[in-house]
Amino acid sequence: MSSSPLSLNDLQAQWSAHNPGLDTSPMEVVGLLKRATGLLDRAVEPLYAGAPLTAPEVDLLIPLRHATGPMIASALAARAGLSRAGVSKTLGRLERRGFITRAPSPADRRAALVTVTEAGARAVDDLFPRQLAAESELLANLGQDREWVVGALARLVQAMESSGGR
């Protein structure tokens, strides 16, 4: 017999009972963010089944697709809010498959200049519009609340960045 997952309120109550002094209030925001992320991932997942790229790879290629020149890998990491190590690993996979090129920066030998290839640009041009359509469908029920949600999320990101988030 399988039990259903506990609601966020139930989880908070259990943690509070187990550890009465524990502030569980972050669970309200983080739990909803994780749920929204899961729903978003599930909505776009079918698009990437059998595709030449994964959704995180497309996310890294998007800023490169319309860049006027090469971008520094660390700038890509900062823009995506990801670790440099994770971005470097993903860029390595993209390079091996011919979707980007990397070259040492003449200004800083430790920095890599990243450029999207024609194959990378074609793959992004194929996948990203379909991803946007799936995301649009997922968010369609927001209606007039869309502007409020965007403002609230922008405020959340601002608060997280000012608290030391990257």
Side-chain angles (χ1 to χ4, degrees), residues 119-143:
R122 279 193 308 273
V124 169
D125 289 351
D126 176 53
L127 288 166
F128 189 59
R130 295 188 294 150
Q131 179 178 324
L132 282 176
E135 292 167 350
S136 180
E137 184 177 324
L138 186 65
L139 300 173
N141 289 335
L142 278 175

Side-chain angles (χ1 to χ4, degrees), residues 137-150:
E137 184 177 324
L138 186 65
L139 300 173
N141 289 335
L142 278 175
Q144 294 179 321
D145 290 333
R146 179 185 179 88
E147 196 172 313
W148 179 87
V149 170
V150 170

Side-chain angles (χ1 to χ4, degrees), residues 48 51-58 61 89-101 117 119-120 122-123 127:
Y48 290 95
L53 296 168
T54 65
E57 289 171 338
V58 168
L61 288 174
K89 198 179 289 189
T90 301
L91 291 175
R93 287 193 304 268
L94 289 168
E95 185 177 32
R96 284 189 295 280
R97 294 186 350 253
F99 293 114
I100 64 157
T101 60
T117 62
R122 279 193 308 273
L127 288 166

Side-chain angles (χ1 to χ4, degrees), residues 43-65:
V44 300
E45 188 176 279
L47 302 174
Y48 290 95
L53 296 168
T54 65
E57 289 171 338
V58 168
D59 289 343
L60 275 184
L61 288 174
I62 288 169
L64 292 168
R65 172 62 181 99

Side-chain angles (χ1 to χ4, degrees), residues 10-109:
D10 291 339
L11 285 171
Q12 281 184 280
Q14 285 186 349
W15 272 107
S16 293
H18 176 72
N19 189 341
L22 185 65
D23 176 13
T24 61
S25 64
M27 292 175 72
E28 295 167 348
V29 174
V30 174
L32 289 170
L33 283 173
K34 288 181 179 183
R35 177 75 175 134
T37 300
L39 292 167
L40 180 59
D41 290 345
R42 196 168 40 197
V44 300
E45 188 176 279
L47 302 174
Y48 290 95
L53 296 168
T54 65
E57 289 171 338
V58 168
D59 289 343
L60 275 184
L61 288 174
I62 288 169
L64 292 168
R65 172 62 181 99
H66 297 288
T68 56
M71 291 184 71
I72 296 172
S74 61
L76 281 171
R79 180 178 182 165
L82 302 170
S83 73
R84 288 181 184 181
V87 168
S88 180
K89 198 179 289 189
T90 301
L91 291 175
R93 287 193 304 268
L94 289 168
E95 185 177 32
R96 284 189 295 280
R97 294 186 350 253
F99 293 114
I100 64 157
T101 60
R102 289 192 288 186
S105 169
D108 181 356
R109 297 180 81 155

